[in-house]
Amino acid sequence: MPRLFIGIDLPEGVDDHLEMMCYGLPEARWEGADKFHLTLRFIGEVDGRVHREIVDALQELDSPSFMLGLKGMGVFPPRGVPTSVWAGLADPGPVIALRQKVDACLRKVPDVPPDPRKFTPHVTIARVGDCELDDVMVYLTEHALMRTELFPVERVLLFSSTKTHRGSAYRIEAAFPLRPV
């Protein structure tokens, strides 16, 4: 069964900007341009029927397109030993509003329970569970002023994720356009 998630893809220029930051942290597992995205909602493993119900529900998504830029860096978890490094958003407001509309659509799918976790919009750059804490802190300090160009968000994507011997591989299952403004 595929593992599904809903997200926003990044344009090539932003992917390139983030990929140029994938250095200088020994033992990090860098995500790379082929995996950079902003997850709106993780769903998990579903069967074919639920997959179709999710696609049908997201066809009703009605949300405006918007401009987005990445800004700043952080880690998860926010306290304790970091496991991942991420890029934050210059203005998370439109993404949070979009997430709420995605959640409203998914409430129509009985087999997709609500996500109990707090939503913190971000783009994961690296997995750092094997890195020294001091190295992670130096990396964050060196990239604290990171900022990308603004880019249009004009669609939401349904991705599937498959585990491979080199990590997860993502595939776009469906695209849902946002309303032009």
Side-chain angles (χ1 to χ4, degrees), residues 13-62:
V14 174
D15 281 343
D16 292 346
H17 185 114
L18 294 177
E19 198 158 57
M20 289 186 343
M21 296 172 51
C22 294
Y23 71 92
L25 194 50
E27 306 301 320
R29 289 182 300 138
W30 303 102
E31 288 296 304
D34 60 328
K35 288 186 166 178
F36 292 141
H37 67 278
L38 193 157
T39 299
L40 290 169
R41 179 70 152 67
F42 179 75
I43 296 170
E45 291 186 356
V46 300
D47 62 26
R49 177 187 56 79
V50 175
H51 183 283
R52 287 186 301 277
E53 289 176 3
I54 291 167
V55 170
D56 289 347
L58 289 172
Q59 297 288 350
E60 297 178 24
L61 180 64
D62 182 22

Side-chain angles (χ1 to χ4, degrees), residues 99-118:
R99 159 69 185 250
Q100 291 169 343
K101 292 187 178 209
V102 165
D103 280 344
C105 290
L106 293 177
R107 281 195 285 277
K108 299 171 186 165
V109 183
D111 291 319
V112 176
D115 189 348
R117 297 171 295 179
K118 179 181 182 244

Side-chain angles (χ1 to χ4, degrees), residues 3-10 31 35-44 68 70 76 86-87 89 92 95-96 98-100 102-103 106 115 117-124 127 156-159 161 170:
R3 290 173 43 143
L4 299 180
F5 66 93
I6 299 162
I8 296 170
D9 58 343
L10 305 176
E31 288 296 304
K35 288 186 166 178
F36 292 141
H37 67 278
L38 193 157
T39 299
L40 290 169
R41 179 70 152 67
F42 179 75
I43 296 170
L68 183 64
L70 304 182
F76 285 131
W86 49 261
L89 307 183
V95 173
I96 291 169
L98 178 58
R99 159 69 185 250
Q100 291 169 343
V102 165
D103 280 344
L106 293 177
D115 189 348
R117 297 171 295 179
K118 179 181 182 244
F119 179 56
T120 304
H122 66 280
V123 176
T124 300
R127 308 295 173 179
V156 168
L157 300 174
L158 177 65
F159 290 93
S161 172
Y170 302 148

Side-chain angles (χ1 to χ4, degrees), residues 57-96:
L58 289 172
Q59 297 288 350
E60 297 178 24
L61 180 64
D62 182 22
S63 188
S65 58
F66 55 92
M67 298 299 287
L68 183 64
L70 304 182
K71 178 183 175 185
M73 304 290 289
V75 294
F76 285 131
R79 293 179 193 84
V81 179
T83 58
S84 62
V85 171
W86 49 261
L89 307 183
D91 177 9
V95 173
I96 291 169

